Amino acid sequence: MSEASFTKISSSNMLTVRFLSLRNLRRLVYLGCVWLCICYLVFRVAHPQNAVSYLAHIHRGLLQKLPSEGPTQPSLNALIPENFLDLMPLVDKSPSLGEKELLFFLSNRSNLPLAYWAKNRNKAIGDKNCAKFPSLFDLDFNNVYWQRLQTTNGTFYLYAAYYDNRIRAGSTAIIRILAMVDKIKPISTTCQLWFDKGKSPVFAQATYTYAWYSKWGNYKDGILQPFIVSCKLPKKETEGRIPASVSLVQTRCQNPNNNLRIVNNRPPKKHDFAVCVKGLDFLQEDLSVRLVEWLEVLNILGAKKVFMYELEIHPNISKVLSYYQNKGLVELTPITLPGNQPNIPGFRHLYLKSKLTHKRQNEVIPYNDCLYRNIYSYDYLVLLDVDEVIMPVKHTNWRELMAEVVPAALKLKNYTRASYNVRNVYFLDDLQDGEELHHEAHEQGIPPYLHMLQHVYRSKNFTKPGSYVKCFHNTERSVSLHNHFPLNCFGSCTTYSIPIELAQLQHYRKDCVGSLKKTCKSEFRAYTVRDTTIWRYKNELTQRVTEVLNKLGFFRS
């Protein structure tokens, strides 16, 4: 065979092989497609909910971060409604507030005289050469809730102002200003009192009430000190009128850069009891369930309202307090630290923990804000921490208790007391007949989440009379309050010690306070008593707390 013939035969065979290969390949592809279609149809019939559409694949980038609703991720088809093209997201389309509406909305949420400013912003108030009324936009703000006055010898941080014409204050009404000052003896200042229909301010010399004891420490310049600044209203110039706002200045004719709305709450009826609580500092600690029990106990005992101040709180605590705000039992006010003190959440907690005396001085502000906002609203204010309860021993509530205490005090000495104090006793977490309580042990028939109802062992010994007490503060007599006693009063700060047979301050803690830890074991842990006084409210308290926790979703279904 010639070379040419061999070449022709080889080419013919190669074409045949290629033809056969292409035909076989087409058959394989065809069979494969048929097989896939059959598998898909079988799978769809068996598992219709897991069939993933082309649309879902397109949106995978948007959906892959959606949270799982169970042990397995929900199907993407289930997450996208069929009528998604017709859906419209629900967003807030309400119109923006105008300036007047916004000022009204903010009026009770700040120390600014917004209503007064809105009425008079276009009027020439004051004198260009002596005390021109300041624009709100020119005020010297500090840490959101404070205004600042810088003088030639010290800086004032002003929190709020109040109108005080209580009978015991005398015939002249007084404007009180809560302030922190970096001097133990502040420089002389003047109050500029602004009235609704006045063209010029009325002037009054400021006086100072030191709301701290020097023996408690931090008694030196450079550290912020709590003061109550008082401005007596001149009778002739004011003629019984109540000023709308006040400015504090170093010299009489100085143009002010601070202006505080004057609080003058006058409810139609004066109630008997309210509770004041210092700035809550629980960013990481979830005390929400215990807080529900505590608030319900206070309400059962007779507290009409609990005034609380917020530094930083856990989200669950926020949920609880929002619920009670809506019910009207709680009023929660945000607060910050003035001056150069830190307000970064978390770091502020560390600062206050390491600077305990600074912490105590800062606490004077919310305590006295609570006092002056309520001097006409309640007969008595009780300053408590969230782990304390004044528990009547003989009576069922505070009203019945004080109905016996006040006459007894008057019988002893015939004058009204500035406060009525209750002695402290510890209900420590691990007390049980002088031995440590095992974690799994609990009182039968009482839900384990009710801390106070579960802990009914206390130390036999009370802390010493006058030490670590809490009081019913008489709002007619108090000028400034501290955690344990009134510091300044109309007249002397007289107190009456309520006998332990009538009431006790039940203090629920892990351990004694720091200053008593050395003697805690011998004085308070060694001898214990089973005290079930609180159980008189067991059924009502259990029902109340459980209902609230259920409403707020604390129980898993």
Side-chain angles (χ1 to χ4, degrees), residues 292 316 319-324 546-555:
V292 172
N316 282 348
K319 179 168 65 174
V320 166
L321 295 183
S322 294
Y323 169 80
Y324 283 107
T546 305
E547 285 180 359
V548 172
L549 294 177
N550 192 41
K551 285 180 182 177
L552 295 179
F554 279 92
F555 299 121

Side-chain angles (χ1 to χ4, degrees), residues 3 39 67 105 107 118 182 194 216 226 280 327 449 530 545-546:
E3 183 176 345
C39 290
F105 175 77
S107 60
D182 61 1
W194 303 90
W216 290 342
L280 299 176
K327 282 190 66 176
Y449 50 83
R530 182 174 171 86
V545 175
T546 305

